[in-house]
């Protein structure tokens, strides 16, 4: 069995040794690829010095999360990987994390993506964002089963962020890679939506864990409000199985209603970013539709640049 781990790095010096060391200590052997997005803090040098067995790919520029991961996913598939484990640079695993995830995957192949519990960096609590993913509304019965000490091997969910994903080869060959249209953030929402659309499930495996010492916004979004709203618009315009026209009418109507309300309140601090985000998305409408159509086809190729 071939298992690849892919870690995208960008100024990851504070965490990278702990991250890569944990992969080296995995109870099941993994081939680790580090994709560096032009770090300026010596991260590539650390990897070369401390982890000569890790294959380092230096992109020469900041490709963002999705495109950089696609380089690793493509290389893993070309080398006949059975599984690819994505891990954030600011996270680390336990020795049996990957082995346990693969054990569950082999029992439940209908799950294309599996993720362990995400603890905070100190291991004293669930990662705050992850706690929302296992709330009763998002992941029914998980909290109740945890409290009553009756955890199941796997819990189906609609979303878990890509800080730690085990992706099966079946999933990669069906769904493809991340959509390069996303600069950073939103690519995991889109990928999971496509995974479900192509008939595979997403699961959380509670009997193993990672530790996520959140790095904050290290990938450099300049205007968080506008960019986050813009990315949300792209995700929603690409939502499957709805038609693109249905998504477009729904998003525009909703945003215009909100803008009208904000204008009535004269709340320009919220009005302006939202208007900019809508205009920015509408200017990309052909690109977004093309991306949606491309990834609707099962077996779409992993792209390292946007589909022309």
């Amino acid at each position: 069995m071939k298992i690849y781990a892919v870690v995208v790095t960008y100024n990851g010096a504070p965490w990278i040794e702990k991250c890569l060391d944990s992969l080296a200590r995995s109870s099941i052997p993994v081939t680790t690829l580090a994709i560096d997005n032009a770090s300026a803090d010596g991260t590539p040098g650390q990897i070369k010095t401390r982890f000569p067995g890790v294959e380092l790919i230096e992109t020469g520029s900041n490709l963002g999360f999705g495109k950089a991961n696609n380089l690793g996913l493509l290389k893993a598939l070309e080398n006949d990987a059975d599984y690819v484990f994505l891990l954030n640079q600011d996270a680390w695993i336990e020795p049996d994390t990957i082995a346990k995830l693969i054990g569950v995957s082999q029992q439940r192949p209908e799950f294309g993506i599996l993720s362990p519990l995400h603890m905070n960096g100190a291991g004293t609590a669930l990662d705050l964002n992850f706690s929302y993913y296992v709330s009763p509304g998002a992941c029914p019965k998980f909290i109740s089963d945890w409290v009553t000490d009756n955890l199941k091997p796997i819990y189906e969910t609609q979303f878990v962020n890509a800080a730690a994903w085990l992706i099966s080869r079946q999933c990669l060959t069906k769904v493809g890679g991340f959509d390069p249209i996303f600069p950073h953030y939103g690519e995991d929402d889109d990928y999971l939506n496509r995974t479900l659309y192509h008939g595979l499930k997403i699961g959380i495996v509670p009997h193993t864990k990672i530790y996520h010492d959140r790095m904050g916004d290290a990938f450099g979004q300049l205007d968080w409000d506008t960019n986050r709203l813009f990315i949300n618009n792209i995700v929603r315009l690409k939502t499957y199985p709805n038609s693109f026209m249905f998504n477009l009418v729904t998003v525009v109507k909703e945003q215009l209603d909100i803008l009208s309300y904000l204008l009535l309140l004269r709340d320009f601090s919220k009005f302006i970013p939202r208007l900019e985000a809508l205009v920015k998305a509408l200017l990309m409408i052909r690109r977004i539709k093309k991306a949606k159509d491309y990834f609707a086809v099962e077996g779409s190729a992993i792209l390292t640049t946007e589909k022309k």
Side-chain angles (χ1 to χ4, degrees):
M1 182 184 298
K2 288 188 179 180
I3 306 153
Y4 275 70
V6 177
V7 179
V8 173
T9 62
Y10 178 74
N11 293 339
W15 309 277
I16 196 60
E17 290 199 15
K18 199 165 190 177
C19 173
L20 295 181
D21 187 62
S22 74
L23 290 170
R25 295 173 184 273
S26 172
S27 62
I28 188 167
V30 300
T31 299
T32 301
L33 304 175
I35 319 296
D36 187 73
N37 271 336
S39 294
D41 68 344
T43 298
Q46 277 185 276
I47 296 171
K48 291 173 186 175
T49 301
R50 285 278 291 111
F51 302 95
V54 170
E55 183 175 347
L56 174 64
I57 299 173
E58 297 184 69
T59 65
S61 63
N62 190 350
L63 300 182
F65 183 81
K67 286 188 214 177
N69 264 304
N70 280 358
L71 291 173
L73 295 175
L74 192 58
K75 190 171 187 66
L77 277 186
E78 288 172 348
N79 286 279
D80 298 320
D82 298 292
Y83 291 96
V84 180
F85 182 67
L86 303 187
L87 184 65
N88 269 24
Q89 66 176 4
D90 57 351
W92 53 94
I93 65 171
E94 295 190 326
D96 62 357
T97 298
I98 297 175
K100 285 186 174 179
L101 291 174
I102 288 174
V104 172
S105 176
Q106 291 176 329
Q107 294 295 316
R108 302 291 300 274
E110 71 272 25
F111 283 84
I113 296 174
L114 294 176
S115 192
L117 294 183
H118 297 198
M119 307 300 292
N120 64 15
T124 56
L126 288 177
D127 171 72
L128 180 59
N129 283 10
F130 183 82
S131 67
Y132 301 137
Y133 312 150
V134 293
S135 64
C139 193
K141 297 186 179 180
F142 178 86
I143 296 296
S144 177
D145 287 351
W146 196 356
V147 170
T148 58
D149 197 24
N150 189 34
L151 284 173
K152 309 297 188 294
I154 189 170
Y155 288 83
E156 188 172 348
T157 188
Q158 301 293 302
F159 181 83
V160 57
N161 70 30
W165 280 2
L166 181 77
I167 312 176
S168 67
R169 183 178 185 87
Q170 176 194 17
C171 183
L172 286 170
T173 54
K174 269 193 171 187
V175 181
F178 292 103
D179 185 348
I181 202 170
F182 291 94
H184 185 59
Y185 299 105
E187 59 274 280
D188 50 358
D189 299 79
D190 176 71
Y191 194 89
L192 294 176
N193 180 245
R194 286 159 44 208
T195 298
L196 296 171
Y197 174 70
H198 286 297
L200 295 170
K201 296 180 179 181
I202 301 148
I204 292 172
V205 177
H207 295 293
T208 188
K209 64 186 70 168
I210 61 142
Y211 303 87
H212 192 182
D213 186 26
R214 282 190 177 270
M215 60 195 285
D217 187 23
F219 282 82
Q221 292 297 101
L222 298 177
D223 182 343
W224 175 250
D225 290 337
T226 297
N227 277 289
R228 187 60 181 176
L229 291 166
F230 163 63
I231 289 164
N232 284 344
N233 286 337
I234 298 179
V235 170
R236 295 189 59 205
L237 287 167
K238 283 196 66 202
T239 297
Y240 303 89
N242 302 336
S243 72
F244 186 78
M245 186 55 67
F246 176 86
N247 290 343
L248 178 61
V249 170
T250 301
V251 169
V252 170
K253 181 180 184 305
E254 178 188 273
Q255 294 305 308
L256 289 177
D257 286 346
I258 296 172
L259 286 166
S260 299
Y261 179 69
L262 293 172
L263 193 59
L264 185 65
L265 295 178
R266 302 181 66 83
D267 189 346
F268 296 109
S269 66
K270 294 180 180 177
F271 177 87
I272 292 172
R274 188 169 291 273
L275 177 61
E276 289 176 342
L278 179 58
V279 170
K280 194 173 178 181
L282 292 176
L283 289 173
M284 286 179 59
I285 210 72
R286 289 185 180 180
R287 289 168 58 193
I288 297 169
K289 183 180 186 303
K290 185 176 290 186
K292 184 178 189 298
D293 292 343
Y294 176 78
F295 286 107
V297 178
E298 186 177 306
S300 54
I302 295 175
L303 301 176
T304 54
T305 57
E306 222 177 295
K307 182 70 175 175
K308 300 301 183 185

